[in-house]
Amino acid sequence: MKAMEKDLYQHSTYVPKIDFSFHQYLIPGEEPILVHTGYADQTRALLPRMEEVLGGRELAYIFPSHFEGDECGGLALLMERYPAAVVVCSAVTARQIAGFGCGAATRVQKPGDRLLSPSFELEFFSYPSEMHLWEGLLALERKRSVFFSADLMIRPGEGGGKVRESRWEDEVHGIGPEQVPDPERRSRLQRELREISPVFVATGHGPCVRLH
């Protein structure tokens, strides 16, 4: 795993066939949290690297931003290794996870909720994720001012460990129908995101973004 910011580690897999990278993020500390699991094969590669960073500590939380294979496809594998970990997610995601019978305990959060820990402070935002517009969650980690953007603000190519420079307004403005097809919900999301000012975007795919 590669340290991207203070106490923020990224595991990345590049798939040349589709020219796309897939990232998972770990915040260690007293109550470690993993953001996204990756697909099952990506989780298998992630586990030993994550265990090195954790140094024997147990994983406390898993945060899949929405219900899709690269966000929670490896959940069953993670639960075998960390059975006490709690999945933090939207109500829609919790219902879908239950249907796959992996036995994970879930903690349902709503937009505006906060999850506070000695290691992090997550504030959640509505995420009408693409395809079916199933309600997911985006998160701002306030201690580090890191925004976990899921499938917003992404680019193709091999993005592992890479960072580009941008402005927050440009990133928010660039959210298009490919990310949020419904124009009304997309506009609402953009209005909400303009109210925050992160300094770093931990993307789901492609290079991360340092904001100025």
Coordinates of all heavy atoms in Angstrom, one line a residue, residues 64-124:
P64 N -18.2 1.0 1.9 CA -18.4 1.0 0.4 C -19.4 2.2 0.1 O -20.5 2.3 0.6 CB -19.1 -0.4 0.2 CG -19.8 -0.7 1.5 CD -19.1 0.1 2.6
S65 N -18.9 3.0 -0.8 CA -19.7 4.2 -1.1 C -21.1 3.9 -1.7 O -22.0 4.6 -1.5 CB -19.0 5.2 -2.0 OG -18.6 4.5 -3.2
H66 N -21.1 2.8 -2.5 CA -22.4 2.3 -3.1 C -22.3 0.9 -3.5 O -21.2 0.3 -3.4 CB -22.7 3.2 -4.3 CG -21.7 3.2 -5.4 ND1 -20.5 3.8 -5.3 CD2 -21.7 2.6 -6.7 CE1 -19.8 3.6 -6.4 NE2 -20.5 2.9 -7.2
F67 N -23.4 0.3 -3.9 CA -23.4 -1.1 -4.1 C -23.0 -1.4 -5.6 O -23.8 -1.2 -6.5 CB -24.8 -1.7 -3.9 CG -24.8 -3.2 -4.0 CD1 -24.3 -4.0 -2.9 CD2 -25.3 -3.9 -5.1 CE1 -24.3 -5.4 -3.0 CE2 -25.3 -5.2 -5.2 CZ -24.8 -6.0 -4.1
E68 N -21.7 -1.8 -5.8 CA -21.2 -2.1 -7.1 C -20.0 -3.0 -6.8 O -19.4 -3.0 -5.8 CB -20.8 -0.9 -7.8 CG -20.6 -1.1 -9.3 CD -20.4 0.2 -10.1 OE1 -20.3 1.2 -9.5 OE2 -20.3 0.1 -11.3
G69 N -19.6 -3.9 -7.8 CA -18.6 -4.9 -7.6 C -17.3 -4.4 -7.1 O -16.6 -5.0 -6.3
D70 N -16.8 -3.2 -7.7 CA -15.5 -2.7 -7.2 C -15.6 -2.0 -5.9 O -14.5 -1.6 -5.4 CB -14.9 -1.9 -8.3 CG -15.7 -0.7 -8.8 OD1 -16.9 -0.9 -9.0 OD2 -15.2 0.4 -9.0
E71 N -16.7 -1.7 -5.4 CA -16.9 -1.1 -4.1 C -17.0 -2.1 -3.0 O -16.6 -1.8 -1.9 CB -18.0 -0.1 -4.1 CG -17.7 1.3 -4.7 CD -17.5 1.3 -6.2 OE1 -18.2 0.6 -6.9 OE2 -16.6 2.0 -6.6
C72 N -17.7 -3.2 -3.2 CA -18.0 -4.1 -2.2 C -17.9 -5.6 -2.6 O -18.4 -6.5 -1.9 CB -19.3 -3.8 -1.5 SG -20.7 -3.7 -2.5
G73 N -17.4 -5.9 -3.8 CA -17.3 -7.2 -4.3 C -16.5 -8.2 -3.5 O -16.7 -9.4 -3.5
G74 N -15.5 -7.7 -2.7 CA -14.7 -8.5 -1.9 C -15.1 -8.5 -0.4 O -14.3 -9.0 0.4
L75 N -16.3 -8.1 -0.2 CA -16.7 -8.0 1.2 C -16.7 -9.4 2.0 O -16.3 -9.4 3.1 CB -18.1 -7.4 1.3 CG -18.7 -7.1 2.7 CD1 -17.7 -6.1 3.4 CD2 -20.1 -6.4 2.5
A76 N -17.2 -10.4 1.3 CA -17.2 -11.7 2.0 C -15.8 -12.2 2.4 O -15.6 -12.7 3.5 CB -17.9 -12.8 1.1
L77 N -14.8 -11.9 1.5 CA -13.4 -12.3 1.8 C -12.9 -11.5 3.0 O -12.2 -12.0 3.9 CB -12.5 -12.0 0.6 CG -12.7 -13.0 -0.5 CD1 -11.9 -12.5 -1.7 CD2 -12.2 -14.4 -0.1
L78 N -13.2 -10.2 3.1 CA -12.8 -9.3 4.2 C -13.5 -9.8 5.5 O -12.8 -9.8 6.5 CB -13.2 -7.9 3.9 CG -12.2 -7.1 3.1 CD1 -12.8 -5.8 2.6 CD2 -10.9 -6.8 3.8
M79 N -14.7 -10.2 5.4 CA -15.4 -10.6 6.6 C -14.9 -11.9 7.2 O -14.9 -12.2 8.4 CB -16.9 -10.7 6.4 CG -17.6 -9.4 6.0 SD -17.2 -8.0 7.1 CE -17.8 -8.6 8.7
E80 N -14.3 -12.8 6.3 CA -13.7 -14.0 6.8 C -12.5 -13.7 7.6 O -12.2 -14.3 8.6 CB -13.3 -14.9 5.6 CG -14.4 -15.5 4.8 CD -13.9 -16.3 3.7 OE1 -12.7 -16.5 3.5 OE2 -14.7 -16.8 2.9
R81 N -11.7 -12.6 7.2 CA -10.5 -12.2 8.0 C -10.9 -11.3 9.1 O -10.2 -11.4 10.2 CB -9.5 -11.6 7.0 CG -8.3 -10.9 7.7 CD -7.5 -12.0 8.4 NE -6.4 -11.3 9.1 CZ -6.5 -10.7 10.3 NH1 -7.6 -10.7 11.0 NH2 -5.4 -10.2 10.9
Y82 N -11.8 -10.4 9.0 CA -12.2 -9.5 10.0 C -13.7 -9.6 10.3 O -14.5 -8.7 9.9 CB -11.8 -8.0 9.5 CG -10.4 -7.8 9.2 CD1 -9.9 -7.8 7.9 CD2 -9.4 -7.7 10.2 CE1 -8.6 -7.6 7.6 CE2 -8.1 -7.5 10.0 CZ -7.7 -7.4 8.6 OH -6.3 -7.3 8.4
P83 N -14.1 -10.6 11.0 CA -15.5 -10.9 11.2 C -16.2 -9.8 12.0 O -17.5 -9.7 12.0 CB -15.6 -12.2 11.8 CG -14.2 -12.4 12.5 CD -13.3 -11.7 11.5
A84 N -15.5 -9.1 12.8 CA -16.1 -8.1 13.7 C -16.2 -6.7 13.0 O -16.8 -5.8 13.6 CB -15.3 -7.9 15.0
A85 N -15.7 -6.5 11.8 CA -15.7 -5.3 11.1 C -17.2 -4.9 10.8 O -18.0 -5.8 10.5 CB -14.9 -5.3 9.9
V86 N -17.5 -3.6 10.9 CA -18.9 -3.1 10.7 C -18.8 -2.4 9.3 O -18.0 -1.6 9.0 CB -19.3 -2.1 11.8 CG1 -20.7 -1.5 11.4 CG2 -19.4 -2.9 13.1
V87 N -19.8 -2.7 8.5 CA -19.9 -2.1 7.2 C -20.8 -0.8 7.3 O -21.9 -0.8 7.8 CB -20.6 -3.0 6.2 CG1 -20.7 -2.3 4.8 CG2 -19.8 -4.3 6.0
V88 N -20.2 0.3 7.0 CA -20.8 1.6 7.1 C -21.3 2.0 5.7 O -20.5 2.1 4.7 CB -19.8 2.7 7.6 CG1 -20.5 4.1 7.6 CG2 -19.3 2.3 8.9
C89 N -22.7 2.2 5.6 CA -23.2 2.3 4.2 C -24.6 2.9 4.2 O -25.2 3.1 5.3 CB -23.2 1.0 3.5 SG -24.2 -0.3 4.3
S90 N -25.1 3.2 3.1 CA -26.5 3.7 2.9 C -27.5 2.6 3.2 O -27.1 1.4 3.2 CB -26.7 4.3 1.5 OG -26.7 3.2 0.6
A91 N -28.7 2.9 3.3 CA -29.8 1.9 3.5 C -29.9 1.0 2.3 O -30.1 -0.2 2.5 CB -31.1 2.6 3.9
V92 N -29.8 1.6 1.1 CA -29.9 0.7 -0.1 C -28.8 -0.3 -0.1 O -29.0 -1.5 -0.4 CB -29.9 1.6 -1.3 CG1 -29.8 0.8 -2.6 CG2 -31.2 2.5 -1.4
T93 N -27.6 0.2 0.1 CA -26.4 -0.7 0.1 C -26.6 -1.8 1.2 O -26.3 -3.0 0.9 CB -25.1 0.1 0.3 OG1 -25.0 1.0 -0.7 CG2 -23.9 -0.9 0.3
A94 N -27.0 -1.5 2.4 CA -27.2 -2.5 3.4 C -28.2 -3.5 3.0 O -28.0 -4.7 3.3 CB -27.7 -1.8 4.7
R95 N -29.3 -3.1 2.3 CA -30.3 -4.1 1.9 C -29.7 -5.1 0.9 O -29.9 -6.3 0.9 CB -31.5 -3.4 1.3 CG -32.4 -2.7 2.3 CD -33.8 -2.5 1.7 NE -33.7 -1.6 0.6 CZ -33.8 -0.3 0.6 NH1 -33.9 0.3 1.8 NH2 -33.8 0.4 -0.5
Q96 N -28.9 -4.5 -0.1 CA -28.3 -5.4 -1.1 C -27.3 -6.3 -0.5 O -27.2 -7.5 -0.9 CB -27.6 -4.5 -2.2 CG -28.6 -3.6 -2.9 CD -29.7 -4.4 -3.6 OE1 -29.4 -5.5 -4.2 NE2 -30.9 -4.0 -3.6
I97 N -26.4 -5.8 0.4 CA -25.4 -6.7 1.1 C -26.1 -7.8 1.8 O -25.7 -9.0 1.7 CB -24.6 -5.8 2.0 CG1 -23.6 -5.0 1.2 CG2 -23.8 -6.7 3.0 CD1 -22.9 -3.9 2.1
A98 N -27.2 -7.6 2.5 CA -27.9 -8.6 3.2 C -28.4 -9.7 2.3 O -28.4 -10.9 2.6 CB -29.1 -8.0 4.0
G99 N -28.8 -9.3 1.1 CA -29.2 -10.3 0.1 C -28.2 -11.3 -0.4 O -28.5 -12.4 -0.9
F100 N -26.9 -11.0 -0.2 CA -25.8 -11.8 -0.6 C -25.3 -12.7 0.5 O -24.4 -13.5 0.3 CB -24.7 -11.0 -1.2 CG -25.0 -10.6 -2.6 CD1 -25.8 -9.5 -2.9 CD2 -24.4 -11.2 -3.7 CE1 -26.0 -9.1 -4.1 CE2 -24.7 -10.8 -5.0 CZ -25.5 -9.8 -5.2
G101 N -25.9 -12.6 1.7 CA -25.6 -13.5 2.8 C -24.2 -13.6 3.3 O -23.8 -14.6 3.8
C102 N -23.5 -12.5 3.3 CA -22.1 -12.5 3.8 C -22.0 -12.3 5.3 O -20.9 -12.4 5.8 CB -21.2 -11.5 3.0 SG -21.6 -9.8 3.5
G103 N -23.1 -12.1 5.9 CA -23.1 -12.0 7.4 C -22.5 -10.8 8.0 O -22.2 -10.7 9.2
A104 N -22.3 -9.7 7.2 CA -21.7 -8.5 7.7 C -22.7 -7.7 8.6 O -23.8 -7.5 8.2 CB -21.2 -7.7 6.6
A105 N -22.2 -7.2 9.7 CA -23.0 -6.2 10.4 C -22.9 -4.9 9.7 O -21.8 -4.5 9.3 CB -22.4 -6.1 11.9
T106 N -24.0 -4.2 9.6 CA -24.1 -2.9 8.9 C -24.5 -1.8 9.8 O -25.2 -2.0 10.8 CB -25.0 -2.9 7.7 OG1 -26.3 -3.3 8.2 CG2 -24.5 -3.9 6.7
R107 N -23.9 -0.6 9.6 CA -24.3 0.6 10.3 C -24.8 1.6 9.2 O -24.0 2.1 8.4 CB -23.1 1.2 11.0 CG -23.4 2.6 11.7 CD -22.3 3.0 12.6 NE -22.6 4.3 13.1 CZ -22.0 4.8 14.2 NH1 -21.1 4.1 14.9 NH2 -22.2 6.1 14.6
V108 N -26.1 1.8 9.1 CA -26.7 2.6 8.1 C -26.5 4.1 8.5 O -26.8 4.5 9.6 CB -28.2 2.3 7.9 CG1 -28.8 3.3 7.0 CG2 -28.3 0.9 7.4
Q109 N -26.0 4.8 7.5 CA -25.8 6.3 7.7 C -26.6 7.0 6.6 O -26.9 6.5 5.5 CB -24.3 6.7 7.6 CG -23.4 5.9 8.5 CD -23.4 6.5 9.9 OE1 -22.4 6.4 10.6 NE2 -24.4 7.1 10.4
K110 N -27.0 8.3 7.0 CA -27.8 9.1 6.1 C -26.9 10.3 5.7 O -26.0 10.7 6.5 CB -29.1 9.5 6.7 CG -30.0 8.3 7.1 CD -31.3 8.8 7.7 CE -31.2 9.7 8.9 NZ -30.6 9.0 10.0
P111 N -27.3 11.0 4.6 CA -26.6 12.3 4.4 C -26.7 13.2 5.5 O -27.8 13.4 6.1 CB -27.4 12.8 3.1 CG -27.9 11.6 2.5 CD -28.2 10.6 3.6
G112 N -25.6 13.9 5.9 CA -25.6 14.8 7.0 C -25.1 14.1 8.3 O -24.7 14.8 9.3
D113 N -25.1 12.8 8.4 CA -24.6 12.0 9.5 C -23.1 12.2 9.6 O -22.4 12.4 8.6 CB -25.0 10.5 9.5 CG -26.4 10.3 9.7 OD1 -27.1 11.2 10.2 OD2 -26.9 9.1 9.5
R114 N -22.6 11.9 10.8 CA -21.1 11.9 11.0 C -20.8 10.6 11.8 O -21.5 10.2 12.7 CB -20.6 13.1 11.7 CG -20.8 14.4 11.0 CD -19.9 15.5 11.5 NE -20.1 16.8 10.8 CZ -19.3 17.8 10.9 NH1 -18.2 17.8 11.8 NH2 -19.5 18.9 10.2
L115 N -19.7 10.0 11.4 CA -19.1 8.9 12.1 C -17.8 9.4 12.7 O -16.8 9.7 12.0 CB -18.9 7.7 11.1 CG -18.2 6.5 11.7 CD1 -19.1 5.9 12.8 CD2 -18.0 5.4 10.6
L116 N -17.7 9.4 14.0 CA -16.6 10.0 14.7 C -15.8 8.9 15.4 O -16.3 7.9 15.9 CB -17.1 11.0 15.8 CG -18.0 12.1 15.3 CD1 -18.3 13.0 16.5 CD2 -17.3 12.9 14.2
S117 N -14.5 9.0 15.2 CA -13.6 8.0 15.8 C -12.3 8.7 16.2 O -12.0 9.8 15.7 CB -13.2 6.9 14.7 OG -12.1 6.2 15.0
P118 N -11.5 8.1 17.1 CA -10.2 8.8 17.4 C -9.3 8.9 16.1 O -8.4 9.7 16.0 CB -9.5 7.8 18.4 CG -10.7 7.1 19.0 CD -11.7 7.0 17.9
S119 N -9.6 8.0 15.1 CA -8.8 8.0 13.9 C -9.3 8.9 12.8 O -8.5 9.3 11.9 CB -8.7 6.5 13.4 OG -8.3 5.7 14.4
F120 N -10.6 9.2 12.8 CA -11.1 9.9 11.6 C -12.5 10.5 12.0 O -13.1 10.2 13.1 CB -11.3 9.0 10.4 CG -12.2 7.8 10.7 CD1 -13.6 7.9 10.7 CD2 -11.7 6.6 11.1 CE1 -14.4 6.8 11.0 CE2 -12.5 5.5 11.4 CZ -13.9 5.6 11.4
E121 N -12.9 11.5 11.2 CA -14.3 12.1 11.3 C -14.9 12.1 10.0 O -14.5 13.0 9.2 CB -14.1 13.5 12.0 CG -13.6 13.5 13.4 CD -13.5 14.9 14.0 OE1 -14.0 15.9 13.3 OE2 -13.0 15.0 15.1
L122 N -15.8 11.2 9.7 CA -16.4 11.2 8.4 C -17.8 11.9 8.4 O -18.6 11.7 9.3 CB -16.7 9.7 7.9 CG -15.5 8.9 7.5 CD1 -15.9 7.5 7.1 CD2 -14.7 9.6 6.4
E123 N -18.0 12.8 7.4 CA -19.3 13.4 7.2 C -19.8 12.9 5.9 O -19.1 12.9 4.9 CB -19.1 14.9 7.2 CG -20.4 15.7 6.9 CD -20.3 17.2 6.9 OE1 -19.2 17.7 7.1 OE2 -21.3 17.8 6.6
F124 N -21.1 12.5 5.8 CA -21.6 11.8 4.7 C -22.5 12.8 3.8 O -23.2 13.6 4.4 CB -22.4 10.6 5.1 CG -21.6 9.6 5.8 CD1 -21.6 9.4 7.2 CD2 -20.7 8.8 5.1 CE1 -20.8 8.5 7.8 CE2 -19.9 7.9 5.7 CZ -19.9 7.7 7.1

